[in-house]
Amino acid sequence: MTLKPVWQNYINGRFVDGGAGLLDVDNPGTGEILAQQAIADAADVYMAVSAARQCHQSGVLSDLRPVERSRMVRKMGQYFLDHIDEIARVLTLEAGKPLWEAHIEVEGAARYFEYYGNQAETVEGRSIPLGKDYFDFTVYEPRGVSAQIIPWNYPLEMTARGIAAALATANTVVIKTPELDPLSNYYFAKAAEMASFPDGAVNIICGYGHEAGAALCAHKGVDQIVFTGSVPTGIAIATAAAQNIVPCILELGGKSAAIVHADADLDKVLDDVRWGIYFNAGQVCSAMSRMIIHEDVHDEMVDRVADLAKGLSVGPGLDRPEFGPNMGAMVSKKQRDRAANLCAQAQTEGAQIAAGGHKLNIPGHFLEPTVLTNITRDMNIAQEEIFGPVLSVMKFKSDQDAIDIANDSEYGLVGGVFTQDIDRAMQMARQVQAGQIYINEWYAGGVETPFGGYKNSGYGREKGREALWNYVQTKNIGIRLK
Ligand code: NAD
């Protein structure tokens, strides 16, 4: 399959060029230009928002019986499964991840449509007793136009997560796709068409963050904003939302810690390190970027983790079709160089490299799977989100030590505890300041479980039933009876 050379935006049911021209999208696995993407300007953003507003105000989605929307949303997911080979290939080419990881992402995207499609029929109000003279009840209404700013690390899953919940609750959406890997988002437009969503219900535009992204977030026709990405951009978006008094959901990354006790099943922990920090080349907001290991098993665990990192074969994603000990490219040269520089800086602060730490001397944006030890809390590497395949290892003596180290971060997205002692695990789970705690399995959970941060990791929750309430507003209707 050859990739088409130019990929368009999708506004009001039509594929269109962008007012800001074309952007080269590169292949992180080779460093070569892959295709060009249409770039929206402010006028395109206005067209997309007004199409979404019109569709919302027409009632064409909200008037449906929920089971109808449920079926349409689930059909979108089926589209992704039916075209998984094609979509996964495009995703691998533009994002650099191994083909098997891209397949997992496409399946993950489809799963959001299945889950939120099924939830469409469960959004029900309640009646509130006010005595014999009244009948009072609540209804949930869609917010209206949902603007969603998508990051590049999981372009499909992040879009699916927001679109599926928004459409299930009868909102319309304008998606601003990431500049680095916007191509695969094209398939949401195709899926929406196939599922018979009306024109304007789903709009997919790419554009620069400071132009199209900022114009979208500042637009008065937007009723709610969903954002995943960096803290500075999150602040800019929250500020824009505040100007228009609209809610926003912010998911802003982390510096999440796994606490490994001496009685932990170390084989299991090792498997979780493989997924926790080397899946998607560590470009995961909930990555296991810190590991806090009890002093009794610290040295043994470091040796084993270093061997694991050294054993991963790193190279272009298309050459890695099957699950195995391998890892792909980072998304861009800039992200790769930033991570490599942070590793070099850590060494000057006293960190030791147990594995990796360097760029690969081949075309493409590759960084060796890295393990850094001898890390202390005051080092930059212990605090700054690296967003790459870099594990920072720290040592602890007492439970309180481990909690203090884990909580010594501006972030609070997720945390993990590995121990055979469930009482100790529960004690620690209560004390770690994070929105999601994994006990004895990193990433335990799924589409069904609420996800979001404490502290600078953001506010609001994605996934699970909680996310549905982002997309509706409560209306109370009170009736005075005779
Ligand atoms: P970013 O936050 O700048 O970009 C994310 C998205 O926001 C992109 O779609 C971008 O176009 C858009 N954007 C940028 N400025 C905007 C604005 N003013 N208004 C509206 N939208 C805007 O992130 P980045 O520059 O791609 O990556 C930098 C760092 O962010 C990474 O190193 C990583 O630490 C973090 N990050 C976190 C996540 C996550 O999942 N939490 C995802 C991507 C990046």
Side-chain angles (χ1 to χ4, degrees), residues 24-192:
D24 290 340
V25 176
D26 95 4
N27 176 348
T30 61
E32 288 164 1
I33 293 172
L34 191 59
Q36 289 187 305
Q37 168 68 47
I39 289 293
D41 61 8
D44 295 323
V45 170
Y46 293 160
M47 272 192 286
V49 174
S50 82
R53 272 229 81 68
Q54 244 178 329
C55 179
H56 165 63
Q57 282 169 349
S58 74
V60 62
L61 286 183
S62 52
D63 288 350
L64 288 176
R65 195 167 172 149
V67 65
E68 298 296 336
R69 281 199 308 277
S70 163
R71 288 179 184 139
M72 290 160 77
V73 169
R74 282 182 290 140
K75 267 191 194 165
M76 282 186 73
Q78 193 55 47
Y79 178 91
F80 278 82
L81 295 178
D82 290 346
H83 297 81
I84 188 165
D85 290 339
E86 177 183 343
I87 301 172
R89 186 169 177 275
V90 173
L91 179 59
T92 281
L93 286 171
E94 67 174 344
K97 53 189 84 190
L99 195 53
W100 64 269
E101 290 194 21
H103 270 85
I104 290 179
E105 181 167 348
V106 178
E107 283 163 2
R111 175 75 181 111
Y112 280 108
F113 289 102
E114 180 183 41
Y115 178 75
Y116 284 113
N118 287 338
Q119 298 289 324
E121 289 194 88
T122 69
V123 181
E124 297 169 337
R126 63 192 174 112
S127 69
I128 299 168
L130 292 178
K132 74 175 177 45
D133 294 333
Y134 298 90
F135 183 64
D136 188 284
F137 61 101
T138 61
V139 291
Y140 289 114
E141 295 186 345
R143 287 206 163 268
V145 176
S146 174
Q148 312 206 350
I149 310 287
I150 307 300
W152 43 259
N153 55 335
Y154 285 100
L156 288 182
E157 282 198 70
M158 299 295 99
T159 302
R161 174 166 99 176
I163 282 197
L167 294 175
T169 43
N171 295 271
T172 57
V173 289
V174 179
I175 300 293
K176 209 294 281 169
T177 61
E179 300 92 311
L180 289 169
D181 49 14
L183 307 182
S184 50
N185 260 258
Y186 156 85
Y187 295 101
F188 289 101
K190 299 296 283 181

Side-chain angles (χ1 to χ4, degrees), residues 290 346 349-352 372-383 392-395 405 408:
R290 291 184 295 156
E349 290 185 56
Q352 284 168 5
L372 300 175
T373 60
N374 215 27
I375 308 286
T376 53
R377 287 154 69 168
D378 52 322
M379 291 182 190
N380 183 52
I381 200 87
Q383 299 295 337
S392 297
V393 179
M394 302 159 99
K395 201 188 274 189
I405 298 169
D408 186 10

Side-chain angles (χ1 to χ4, degrees), residues 88-308:
R89 186 169 177 275
V90 173
L91 179 59
T92 281
L93 286 171
E94 67 174 344
K97 53 189 84 190
L99 195 53
W100 64 269
E101 290 194 21
H103 270 85
I104 290 179
E105 181 167 348
V106 178
E107 283 163 2
R111 175 75 181 111
Y112 280 108
F113 289 102
E114 180 183 41
Y115 178 75
Y116 284 113
N118 287 338
Q119 298 289 324
E121 289 194 88
T122 69
V123 181
E124 297 169 337
R126 63 192 174 112
S127 69
I128 299 168
L130 292 178
K132 74 175 177 45
D133 294 333
Y134 298 90
F135 183 64
D136 188 284
F137 61 101
T138 61
V139 291
Y140 289 114
E141 295 186 345
R143 287 206 163 268
V145 176
S146 174
Q148 312 206 350
I149 310 287
I150 307 300
W152 43 259
N153 55 335
Y154 285 100
L156 288 182
E157 282 198 70
M158 299 295 99
T159 302
R161 174 166 99 176
I163 282 197
L167 294 175
T169 43
N171 295 271
T172 57
V173 289
V174 179
I175 300 293
K176 209 294 281 169
T177 61
E179 300 92 311
L180 289 169
D181 49 14
L183 307 182
S184 50
N185 260 258
Y186 156 85
Y187 295 101
F188 289 101
K190 299 296 283 181
E193 283 187 345
M194 190 279 304
S196 307
F197 274 97
D199 291 350
V202 174
N203 302 276
I204 311 276
I205 54 176
C206 186
Y208 299 112
H210 61 279
E211 287 176 7
L216 178 59
C217 294
H219 198 296
K220 290 198 182 307
V222 163
D223 300 296
Q224 178 235 30
I225 305 173
V226 179
F227 172 69
T228 300
S230 66
V231 173
T233 304
I235 293 170
I237 287 175
T239 305
Q243 294 291 339
N244 290 335
I245 325 277
V246 296
C248 65
I249 310 302
L250 300 178
E251 203 263 88
L252 305 180
K255 189 76 187 176
S256 303
I259 298 171
V260 180
H261 288 277
D263 67 348
D265 176 343
L266 298 188
D267 292 340
K268 180 73 186 70
V269 175
L270 200 63
D271 191 44
D272 280 12
V273 172
R274 191 258 170 277
W275 288 97
I277 191 64
Y278 300 124
F279 189 61
N280 212 32
Q283 302 164 116
V284 184
C285 45
S286 48
M288 185 200 287
S289 49
R290 291 184 295 156
M291 200 175 186
I292 307 170
I293 309 178
H294 190 272
E295 57 181 358
D296 289 354
V297 289
H298 174 273
D299 293 355
E300 176 191 350
M301 200 61 213
V302 165
D303 286 348
R304 294 184 70 180
V305 170
D307 285 348
L308 168 84

Side-chain angles (χ1 to χ4, degrees), residues 258-261 292 396 398-407 415-419 421-434 437-439:
I259 298 171
V260 180
H261 288 277
I292 307 170
F396 78 92
S398 69
D399 286 14
Q400 193 54 50
D401 260 358
I403 293 290
D404 290 346
I405 298 169
N407 286 339
V417 184
F418 291 82
T419 174
D421 180 343
I422 191 66
D423 292 328
R424 169 182 264 165
M426 281 306 302
Q427 287 280 355
M428 299 199 105
R430 289 206 176 96
Q431 291 179 72
V432 173
Q433 295 158 355
I437 306 293
Y438 307 128
I439 295 177

